[in-house]
Amino acid sequence: MTKKKIVILGTGGTIAGTADSASDHTGYTAAQVGIEQLVAAIPSLRDSPFGLVTEQVAQVDSKDMSFAVWAKLAARVSHFLAQAEVQGIVITHGTDTLEETAWFLHALLNPDKPVVLTCAMRPATALVPDGPQNMLDASAVAAFPGARGVLAVCAGVIHGARDVQKVHTYRLDAFSSGDAGPIGYIEEGRLRLTRNWPEAVIPRAPVAIKFIANQEAALAWPRVEIVMNYAGAGAAVTSALVADGVQGLVVAATGNGTLHHELEAALQLAQAAGVRVVRATRCFEGRVIPGAGDLLPDSQGLTPVKARVDLMLQLMG
Ligand code: ASP
């Protein structure tokens, strides 16, 4: 029988970062160490019963994540998912935009195998780095029979792509699934699940995949921007974006989707002019609860950044 494989794709981030001093956790440069070197530093990963395949897909600080990297990543993930001997995929990624990449891959590919993003809050050169344990934990999830969907693993916690959010600037346990709660925990390499694997979403493929695979089109992904509601929010930013040709707008509304009346009027005008408008909430927990008279559709529980990704994928169609 062919040996099952775990594929580990590197994209950069703090997990691959280096600093001049082992006690420096903030003044480092992200995305310096190659994926092979990161894997080689973890003996129990090297000795895994699975065949390990490593590939450097990108080497970026995830604050600089680009559509070009997303396109390449989606292509490599699809390529490996299609191989019967691949059990699961681990992706090392910066923490800053991890949740966006997670939702992008989940909504696009709807994988029936585990695709596990992992990260670190401390650079690889730290006295006690968190990356190696996170990679080990992510590999345990990728190897777990029945695991599916795009997941995120950090500090021993398994999150689903839909709910995961970075919630802390410094703490090692920097992610939360909000009021949905995590999918489970990894303890001594074993999984303790607290709920089901993420439900299947309607994948945006194949139209979006075709769009993304087309290099020329990849240079011009649908333009979707985020505006925010706050005290004194007005029409100016929305009007400027519409004049500039934006195709979609996500509004990070207050509370249960509420908007300053001036911003609301500007968004309704934008919608009437053909711009797709989606209302998400800037609250960390909860979702916009739809009402009968809503003029602007809600994000169906997606945060503003994920609603933006979703709208871009929809507009590709
Ligand atoms: N700026 C880094 C990144 O997102 C932060 C991290 O990985 O923790 O790549």
Side-chain angles (χ1 to χ4, degrees):
M1 209 177 80
T2 334
K3 199 175 179 184
K4 283 277 190 182
K5 289 181 192 161
I6 301 284
V7 177
I8 307 183
L9 304 177
T11 72
T14 295
I15 193 166
T18 57
D20 291 340
S21 145
S23 56
D24 192 346
H25 294 160
T26 56
Y28 59 86
T29 309
Q32 300 300 303
V33 185
I35 192 66
E36 272 186 38
Q37 211 181 320
L38 291 179
V39 170
I42 311 172
S44 46
L45 193 53
R46 270 187 346 235
D47 302 341
S48 152
F50 291 89
L52 291 188
V53 178
T54 55
E55 187 173 304
Q56 194 78 49
V57 173
Q59 190 63 294
V60 291
D61 183 322
S62 83
K63 73 178 175 59
D64 298 322
M65 188 47 67
S66 65
F67 297 149
V69 171
W70 272 0
K72 189 169 173 203
L73 186 59
R76 297 313 287 156
V77 170
S78 306
H79 167 82
F80 287 114
L81 283 174
Q83 297 180 8
E85 65 275 21
V86 170
Q87 165 72 30
I89 299 177
V90 172
I91 302 172
T92 57
H93 197 289
T95 57
D96 289 345
T97 56
L98 183 146
E99 68 214 55
E100 294 175 56
T101 300
W103 184 250
F104 167 69
L105 293 173
H106 191 71
L108 183 72
L109 304 173
N110 194 22
D112 56 10
K113 296 179 186 179
V115 175
V116 191
L117 281 89
T118 195
C119 55
M121 289 298 284
R122 291 180 180 166
T125 47
L127 190 60
V128 185
D130 53 329
Q133 185 64 51
N134 284 345
M135 281 176 73
L136 211 48
D137 289 347
S139 307
V141 177
F144 193 76
R148 71 166 310 282
V150 179
L151 306 156
V153 163
C154 183
V157 186
I158 311 166
H159 304 274
R162 171 175 273 276
D163 300 305
V164 68
Q165 277 191 79
K166 186 173 181 182
V167 293
H168 205 279
T169 56
Y170 188 73
R171 210 170 57 197
L172 300 191
D173 187 6
F175 288 85
S176 169
S177 288
D179 54 14
I183 287 177
Y185 303 92
I186 308 115
E187 295 156 345
E188 299 293 307
R190 289 184 293 273
L191 271 61
R192 177 165 61 89
L193 300 177
T194 49
R195 61 187 177 97
N196 288 338
W197 297 107
E199 74 281 9
V201 291
I202 302 163
R204 304 294 175 211
V207 180
I209 288 183
K210 220 169 121 197
F211 182 97
I212 288 165
N214 175 337
Q215 283 307 311
E216 276 170 45
L219 299 175
W221 283 30
R223 175 138 180 249
V224 179
E225 302 286 353
I226 299 174
V227 294
M228 190 185 259
N229 192 49
Y230 38 76
V237 176
T238 299
S239 307
L241 287 169
V242 173
D244 202 38
V246 79
Q247 291 159 272
L249 285 170
V250 173
V251 58
T254 29
N256 184 29
T258 56
L259 296 167
H260 186 290
H261 65 91
E262 285 183 23
L263 175 58
E264 187 168 31
L267 289 167
Q268 283 174 9
L269 272 180
Q271 185 171 258
V275 175
R276 289 279 300 277
V277 179
V278 172
R279 216 162 29 103
T281 179
R282 63 177 223 190
C283 288
F284 163 58
E285 293 194 341
R287 49 159 59 201
V288 176
I289 299 161
D294 287 348
L295 294 175
L296 301 173
D298 69 273
S299 66
Q300 309 201 336
L302 292 177
T303 59
V305 289
K306 290 184 200 174
R308 172 178 177 262
V309 169
D310 213 61
L311 190 48
M312 282 192 300
L313 293 176
Q314 287 177 43
L315 287 167
M316 287 173 187

